[in-house]
Amino acid sequence: MSHRIVTILLAAGLAGSLLMLLGSISQFSLPGNQRGYEPVQPIAYSHRLHAGELQIPCLYCHFSAETSRHAGIPPAGVCMNCHRYVTSTLGALRAEDELAQKEKRQPRMIVSREIQKIYDALALNAKFEREPARRLQPVVWTKVHNLPDFVYFDHRAHVRVQVTCQTCHGPVETMERVRQISDLSMGWCVNCHREVNRAGVSGRTVHASTDCSVCHY
Amino acid sequence: MAKRYWKSLAERESAGQRSAAPEFAGTPLQVEAGRDRRGFLRAAGFTFAGAFLTACRQAPVNKAAPYLVQPEGITPGRATYYASTCAACPAGCGLLVKTRDGRPIKLEGNPDHPLSRGGLCAVGQALILGLYDSLRLKQPQARGKPATWDEVDRALAAEFETIRKNGGAVRFLSGTVASPTVRAAIARFLASFREAKHVEYDALSCSAILDAHEQTHGARLLPRYRFDRAEVIVSFDADFLGTWISPVEFTAGYSAGRRPEAGCFSWHAQIEPRMSLTGTKADRRIIVAPGEIGPMLSELAAGMESGAPGGGVTGELAKRLMDARGRSLVISGVQDVSAQAACNRINHLLGNYGATLDVEHPCYQRTGNDREVENLLRDAAAGKLAAVIVWGANPVYDLPGGEALARVPLVVSLGERMDETAAVAHYVCPDRHPLESWGDAEPASGVVGLRQPVIQPLGDTRPALESLAAWSGAPKPAYETLREQWREQVFPRQSAEKDFEAFWERSVQDGFARVEPRGVKVQPRDLSASAPDREASKAGDFDLVLYAKPGMLDGRHAYNPWLQELPDPVSKVTWDNYACLAPATAQRLGVAQGDVVRIDACGKSLELPVVIQPGQHERVVAVALGYGAKCSERFAKVRPLWLGGRSNVGANGLVGVNAAPLAAFDGGLLRYHCAAAVAKTGKKHDLACAQDHHTLSVPKKLAPSSGRTRPIVQEVALEEIGKLPPPSRGPHLELWPPDHPYTGRRWAMTVDLTACTGCSACVIACQVENNVPVAGKDEVRRSREMHWMRIDRYYSGPPEAPEVAHQPMFCQQCEHAPCETVCPVLATVHSEEGLNQQVYNRCVGTRYCANNCPYKARRFNWFEYAREDKLANMVLNPDVTVRSRGVMEKCTFCVQRIQEAKIEAKREGRRLKDGEIQTACQQSCPAQAIVFGDLNDPKSRVSLLMRSKRRYRVLEETNVRPSAGYLKLVRNRPAGKEDEHRG
């Protein structure tokens, strides 16, 4: 008798939960599927500008993808390669130049707000010298493409056989803010492995192992 | 008549079948809710389903903070290796430190090091955990309270000034100082005092050897022993493969001289009172009482001098030795000068000096002087000393009478932790961990090792060199002191590099430098016959023998949970020391394993549980040093994982009991033997003994009626190797379809049982590499120790004088794996390269696979084993998943190393080379007993060894087709003479 009451109550509770979830059924995805994840980053870095418009190759910044498991986020030093000289947009610099000409003075250095964040991280003063009194503040990015701890994905192997970055990361060169395009599930990875074992990568034969231990150890 | 093997006396008595205890021992859990399991599951089912759907939506947010300026050569995700020198014991083996993200995570032996040749013992492997130890002092202590370095320096400067004015006596007490730089710094510091002395001692003392050489050769030195050049080795109670002086170096040399395929095989005789690790490898083992060793040496020396060796054991030894003049080695670990002098005489008569013993280029791995430390303790007790500074030693713990140090008005300790000596010290000035320090070591004349820091110091500690410099009035960083020493003392001793900077860079890169040996002029004298050693006093029925375990040494690593859980290679007991008794003695006393006895010796008494030790002399009770240390208090806080669990520590709040007070100074030497009385107490102690765990033998109800037992360990006598049939290719009939084509590589491993000494370096190496947890004493009692690699120790023959075989056992990566077929979720499957893969995220914890494994190689995570210590977690290998509760794990042939090497080779566009991939166990083995490689490459080392006639597979008859082959154990004695063994 008491068993039946418990069963009924719990069934009612389950029905209630299901009703509550009906509203968000369109957003349903399996737990762990983070497709569409587009977190705000500490610096509003635009891939559309750098990789798309300026056509900087992916591996210029994410150079670790060739030599390590992790592609890595570039150290601030890589940004400074250009931003030692590029302090703001061309438009803003031109506007300042015109204003300076009109006001008959030297153009001031304009630093865009986002680029200033790099200089602050490296504790640089206006003359791009390190100020010893200020603390260095590493930039803490939010990782967009996350795999669980028990998966060991290795970029090297994929970059070596010339799998393009866009294959998994989508058209990053069109993104203002990086967004996860693929669902990065194991099934998605294994399907691609099976496909390239059959059809190759850009016509080249490859052997993409489907052994468990190539990723799970 | 095939040999019968047994792991314990209980197994032997039950006719070789498995003990009655169930394999997966444990208490079944009673579930109260719902009054039965179905009710509980029903109630749980609904609730969990509802909660599940609402709860799981977003994965945790991960942050990534790259370098601001990435240093050149550092790639995140790739390891960087640095060469250094080990400091776990004074032997000074070469080290390669693997670092990731700016911190070391693994230690390996340096294959280029001339002494250790790439091996690293268990204690050396475990040294890394001492770096990430929350017990380490983070700042200096002044009179019991934390202080800053400035405060301590000022206070000490004032104290030292007072002492200088009053002419007080100062002593610097240390262990063997292997570092010439530190030695010079100590001398500089002590020079400012009128009455000052640097006293060195070793808790495991070889002072008698040093004193004997002073007597016979005119210089107080320790010769360099060349086991690789010896064809006949006779050891009188010297555990040279386990704990004596430099076990890694000696194991490398010993195994180099025992390669049957290369045509050389030495003859090794061990004369000892108890079963030591070295004794397990001996071709001829003679069991004697401790007091008989000295007279035996004298008799042997006299016999050889007179040319008439006589009969009996000494006659046999003499004959063997005289047949190998200049190619033999007689050593002794006995702490008696006349016995050691007799040993020197024997070696001299045999012409071994200059061949297998080098006194002109001695070794500096033991420089302790027992007489001086005895005088120091006497002076301390009498109040004659003004100050004692202690470094690299724990005298209050490991010296009898060490408590006298507490009487000294100023005691300064440079130790890393709050050990017994630091507890009585007025000022504790913690030294840096060796992995955080610049330093050097000269283990053997002509080989100077360098030590470099691989991590920023984790606390506010200061290197001993800097402390000494500061107190000498000339503060200087340790790095500069070291470089200065090298520029002035080491660099001039070589001529290959003309520029010091180039020499320094090369030495730091290599981890050592080979320079001109500091030749010692020896003048052999007084090698005439001396009076034989006096007979052991017959008072007392027993002889107490104190010894060191290979996994714990003198107790300096008692804080280390890995070493506490490492089963002792001979007794297989963990988390304890105990009183070893011979089987007949135990029967006579009426005690069984685990019964507590009281040992009265040297006016002190100890209570310890009994362990039955086959092969021990009947008069001997053997107790291990290194236990009952203050640093093991921390294991009380490692909570039992469930309510019924019992603590790791004993009633005294420590792991084991300190036996060091039972040693005694006698005639200026620290003696480890004395007369004793043993009495039953009636108490019992539950030992965590791993020897009967994971037995491969057949359970009673399945045993064949013929009485045949499984040929798990196979042996062959040296002379019969030629008669061995070619290795079997397995049975021809197959029920299995050929579903593993192995078109690419095929991984396999061979273990040479002849080379394996059972030292267990591989066990700890595997534990570090693969993030294997420590289960704790109570779990070990339930056979739940987590070691992926274990060493099974088998006895054979009569219990009074058995032979011993060590067999490393790990997942054999079977081709027809019984575990793969029974996993309901396919968490364990076969890879296309021959590995049996364990996929942790898929495993649901059925444990059917472990049930099916004939080798009992699988380990289940019964609990979420403790990983709360965030600092200790820094040692975890990021390339290996950390397993949580409910997941099965096992040896993977270091698949993470295989993957890394494969991808690197792919990236560089080349093939993998044989020997490029080394598993952790293989890399650490001092004897190079393990070989791993590609079986599909006919020229690889592993293929050659698999084709060897000595190769067999364990439990081959089950047709599981393991990828691991074992090379039969070769003994250098006549075939079929198993019984002619006891002396």
Side-chain angles (χ1 to χ4, degrees), chain B residues 600-622:
Chain B
D600 294 294
C602 300
K604 303 192 186 68
S605 116
L606 279 184
E607 281 192 4
L608 285 165
V610 165
V611 161
I612 312 281
Q613 182 55 60
Q616 183 166 294
H617 193 270
E618 282 171 22
R619 274 183 60 90
V620 167
V621 54

mmCIF file of all heavy atoms in Angstrom, chain B residues 600-622:
data_model
loop_
_atom_site.group_PDB
_atom_site.id
_atom_site.type_symbol
_atom_site.label_atom_id
_atom_site.label_comp_id
_atom_site.label_asym_id
_atom_site.label_seq_id
_atom_site.Cartn_x
_atom_site.Cartn_y
_atom_site.Cartn_z
ATOM 1 N N ASP B 600 63.754 -7.840 23.818
ATOM 2 C CA ASP B 600 64.586 -7.127 24.793
ATOM 3 C C ASP B 600 66.027 -7.247 24.340
ATOM 4 O O ASP B 600 66.565 -8.358 24.244
ATOM 5 C CB ASP B 600 64.434 -7.758 26.178
ATOM 6 C CG ASP B 600 63.028 -7.577 26.718
ATOM 7 O OD1 ASP B 600 62.673 -6.417 26.978
ATOM 8 O OD2 ASP B 600 62.303 -8.582 26.850
ATOM 9 N N ALA B 601 66.636 -6.102 24.053
ATOM 10 C CA ALA B 601 68.025 -6.125 23.594
ATOM 11 C C ALA B 601 68.680 -4.821 23.991
ATOM 12 O O ALA B 601 68.042 -3.775 23.990
ATOM 13 C CB ALA B 601 68.083 -6.300 22.079
ATOM 14 N N CYS B 602 69.948 -4.887 24.304
ATOM 15 C CA CYS B 602 70.729 -3.691 24.632
ATOM 16 C C CYS B 602 70.046 -2.844 25.698
ATOM 17 O O CYS B 602 70.106 -1.623 25.647
ATOM 18 C CB CYS B 602 70.945 -2.818 23.390
ATOM 19 S SG CYS B 602 71.827 -3.657 22.090
ATOM 20 N N GLY B 603 69.385 -3.508 26.635
ATOM 21 C CA GLY B 603 68.757 -2.761 27.719
ATOM 22 C C GLY B 603 67.474 -2.055 27.319
ATOM 23 O O GLY B 603 66.888 -1.329 28.112
ATOM 24 N N LYS B 604 67.019 -2.235 26.087
ATOM 25 C CA LYS B 604 65.774 -1.588 25.681
ATOM 26 C C LYS B 604 64.816 -2.658 25.204
ATOM 27 O O LYS B 604 65.198 -3.791 24.959
ATOM 28 C CB LYS B 604 66.048 -0.588 24.562
ATOM 29 C CG LYS B 604 67.056 0.459 24.957
ATOM 30 C CD LYS B 604 67.091 1.592 23.968
ATOM 31 C CE LYS B 604 68.204 2.556 24.311
ATOM 32 N NZ LYS B 604 69.541 1.959 24.118
ATOM 33 N N SER B 605 63.572 -2.280 25.042
ATOM 34 C CA SER B 605 62.627 -3.286 24.590
ATOM 35 C C SER B 605 61.657 -2.702 23.579
ATOM 36 O O SER B 605 61.358 -1.517 23.597
ATOM 37 C CB SER B 605 61.931 -3.886 25.820
ATOM 38 O OG SER B 605 60.577 -3.617 25.827
ATOM 39 N N LEU B 606 61.201 -3.542 22.686
ATOM 40 C CA LEU B 606 60.320 -3.140 21.585
ATOM 41 C C LEU B 606 59.238 -4.187 21.465
ATOM 42 O O LEU B 606 59.506 -5.366 21.663
ATOM 43 C CB LEU B 606 61.072 -3.193 20.263
ATOM 44 C CG LEU B 606 61.991 -2.094 19.797
ATOM 45 C CD1 LEU B 606 62.484 -2.439 18.430
ATOM 46 C CD2 LEU B 606 61.260 -0.773 19.752
ATOM 47 N N GLU B 607 58.060 -3.739 21.034
ATOM 48 C CA GLU B 607 57.013 -4.726 20.740
ATOM 49 C C GLU B 607 56.687 -4.638 19.264
ATOM 50 O O GLU B 607 56.371 -3.552 18.761
ATOM 51 C CB GLU B 607 55.767 -4.420 21.579
ATOM 52 C CG GLU B 607 55.921 -4.909 23.001
ATOM 53 C CD GLU B 607 54.616 -4.881 23.780
ATOM 54 O OE1 GLU B 607 53.564 -4.554 23.195
ATOM 55 O OE2 GLU B 607 54.673 -5.165 24.976
ATOM 56 N N LEU B 608 56.772 -5.763 18.605
ATOM 57 C CA LEU B 608 56.559 -5.770 17.166
ATOM 58 C C LEU B 608 55.808 -7.027 16.759
ATOM 59 O O LEU B 608 55.943 -8.071 17.389
ATOM 60 C CB LEU B 608 57.917 -5.772 16.437
ATOM 61 C CG LEU B 608 58.658 -4.459 16.426
ATOM 62 C CD1 LEU B 608 60.101 -4.689 16.020
ATOM 63 C CD2 LEU B 608 58.006 -3.478 15.471
ATOM 64 N N PRO B 609 55.031 -6.937 15.673
ATOM 65 C CA PRO B 609 54.382 -8.162 15.185
ATOM 66 C C PRO B 609 55.396 -9.064 14.490
ATOM 67 O O PRO B 609 56.403 -8.605 13.971
ATOM 68 C CB PRO B 609 53.349 -7.629 14.189
ATOM 69 C CG PRO B 609 53.865 -6.306 13.782
ATOM 70 C CD PRO B 609 54.672 -5.761 14.908
ATOM 71 N N VAL B 610 55.087 -10.332 14.458
ATOM 72 C CA VAL B 610 55.989 -11.320 13.877
ATOM 73 C C VAL B 610 55.682 -11.486 12.397
ATOM 74 O O VAL B 610 54.530 -11.471 11.971
ATOM 75 C CB VAL B 610 55.810 -12.682 14.603
ATOM 76 C CG1 VAL B 610 56.434 -13.809 13.809
ATOM 77 C CG2 VAL B 610 56.410 -12.608 15.974
ATOM 78 N N VAL B 611 56.724 -11.626 11.609
ATOM 79 C CA VAL B 611 56.565 -12.049 10.214
ATOM 80 C C VAL B 611 57.446 -13.284 10.064
ATOM 81 O O VAL B 611 58.615 -13.277 10.449
ATOM 82 C CB VAL B 611 57.005 -10.931 9.242
ATOM 83 C CG1 VAL B 611 57.283 -11.489 7.868
ATOM 84 C CG2 VAL B 611 55.944 -9.863 9.163
ATOM 85 N N ILE B 612 56.863 -14.335 9.542
ATOM 86 C CA ILE B 612 57.644 -15.568 9.361
ATOM 87 C C ILE B 612 58.504 -15.373 8.126
ATOM 88 O O ILE B 612 57.988 -15.092 7.035
ATOM 89 C CB ILE B 612 56.712 -16.781 9.144
ATOM 90 C CG1 ILE B 612 55.602 -16.785 10.186
ATOM 91 C CG2 ILE B 612 57.512 -18.051 9.111
ATOM 92 C CD1 ILE B 612 55.981 -17.304 11.515
ATOM 93 N N GLN B 613 59.781 -15.511 8.273
ATOM 94 C CA GLN B 613 60.697 -15.301 7.154
ATOM 95 C C GLN B 613 61.450 -16.590 6.846
ATOM 96 O O GLN B 613 62.399 -16.938 7.531
ATOM 97 C CB GLN B 613 61.685 -14.171 7.490
ATOM 98 C CG GLN B 613 62.645 -13.840 6.373
ATOM 99 C CD GLN B 613 61.905 -13.512 5.090
ATOM 100 O OE1 GLN B 613 61.108 -12.584 5.038
ATOM 101 N NE2 GLN B 613 62.157 -14.286 4.054
ATOM 102 N N PRO B 614 61.021 -17.279 5.789
ATOM 103 C CA PRO B 614 61.782 -18.478 5.405
ATOM 104 C C PRO B 614 63.194 -18.095 5.007
ATOM 105 O O PRO B 614 63.422 -17.035 4.421
ATOM 106 C CB PRO B 614 61.007 -19.010 4.192
ATOM 107 C CG PRO B 614 59.669 -18.379 4.258
ATOM 108 C CD PRO B 614 59.849 -17.073 4.939
ATOM 109 N N GLY B 615 64.131 -18.930 5.331
ATOM 110 C CA GLY B 615 65.502 -18.664 4.922
ATOM 111 C C GLY B 615 66.294 -17.849 5.920
ATOM 112 O O GLY B 615 67.417 -17.444 5.645
ATOM 113 N N GLN B 616 65.715 -17.611 7.069
ATOM 114 C CA GLN B 616 66.434 -16.838 8.075
ATOM 115 C C GLN B 616 67.059 -17.805 9.071
ATOM 116 O O GLN B 616 66.540 -18.893 9.294
ATOM 117 C CB GLN B 616 65.447 -15.908 8.776
ATOM 118 C CG GLN B 616 66.074 -14.986 9.791
ATOM 119 C CD GLN B 616 65.127 -13.877 10.185
ATOM 120 O OE1 GLN B 616 64.787 -13.032 9.371
ATOM 121 N NE2 GLN B 616 64.710 -13.893 11.432
ATOM 122 N N HIS B 617 68.160 -17.397 9.679
ATOM 123 C CA HIS B 617 68.792 -18.248 10.670
ATOM 124 C C HIS B 617 67.895 -18.385 11.891
ATOM 125 O O HIS B 617 67.215 -17.439 12.282
ATOM 126 C CB HIS B 617 70.145 -17.644 11.077
ATOM 127 C CG HIS B 617 70.998 -18.581 11.856
ATOM 128 N ND1 HIS B 617 70.936 -18.653 13.241
ATOM 129 C CD2 HIS B 617 71.908 -19.496 11.469
ATOM 130 C CE1 HIS B 617 71.790 -19.572 13.652
ATOM 131 N NE2 HIS B 617 72.395 -20.093 12.599
ATOM 132 N N GLU B 618 67.932 -19.539 12.507
ATOM 133 C CA GLU B 618 66.966 -19.794 13.576
ATOM 134 C C GLU B 618 67.199 -18.966 14.823
ATOM 135 O O GLU B 618 66.289 -18.768 15.611
ATOM 136 C CB GLU B 618 66.976 -21.290 13.936
ATOM 137 C CG GLU B 618 66.199 -22.077 12.907
ATOM 138 C CD GLU B 618 66.349 -23.568 13.077
ATOM 139 O OE1 GLU B 618 66.694 -24.000 14.207
ATOM 140 O OE2 GLU B 618 66.110 -24.298 12.106
ATOM 141 N N ARG B 619 68.413 -18.486 15.008
ATOM 142 C CA ARG B 619 68.682 -17.685 16.207
ATOM 143 C C ARG B 619 68.354 -16.213 16.002
ATOM 144 O O ARG B 619 68.384 -15.423 16.930
ATOM 145 C CB ARG B 619 70.169 -17.766 16.551
ATOM 146 C CG ARG B 619 70.579 -18.949 17.397
ATOM 147 C CD ARG B 619 72.062 -18.826 17.705
ATOM 148 N NE ARG B 619 72.376 -17.602 18.423
ATOM 149 C CZ ARG B 619 72.382 -17.468 19.745
ATOM 150 N NH1 ARG B 619 72.092 -18.517 20.496
ATOM 151 N NH2 ARG B 619 72.697 -16.317 20.310
ATOM 152 N N VAL B 620 68.050 -15.857 14.762
ATOM 153 C CA VAL B 620 67.998 -14.426 14.439
ATOM 154 C C VAL B 620 66.581 -13.883 14.536
ATOM 155 O O VAL B 620 65.621 -14.522 14.110
ATOM 156 C CB VAL B 620 68.544 -14.195 13.009
ATOM 157 C CG1 VAL B 620 68.222 -12.795 12.514
ATOM 158 C CG2 VAL B 620 70.041 -14.422 12.982
ATOM 159 N N VAL B 621 66.455 -12.699 15.118
ATOM 160 C CA VAL B 621 65.222 -11.928 14.986
ATOM 161 C C VAL B 621 65.638 -10.624 14.302
ATOM 162 O O VAL B 621 66.526 -9.917 14.773
ATOM 163 C CB VAL B 621 64.539 -11.683 16.353
ATOM 164 C CG1 VAL B 621 65.471 -11.042 17.358
ATOM 165 C CG2 VAL B 621 63.304 -10.830 16.191
ATOM 166 N N ALA B 622 65.042 -10.379 13.159
ATOM 167 C CA ALA B 622 65.478 -9.241 12.333
ATOM 168 C C ALA B 622 64.408 -8.157 12.346
ATOM 169 O O ALA B 622 63.233 -8.428 12.159
ATOM 170 C CB ALA B 622 65.733 -9.700 10.897
#
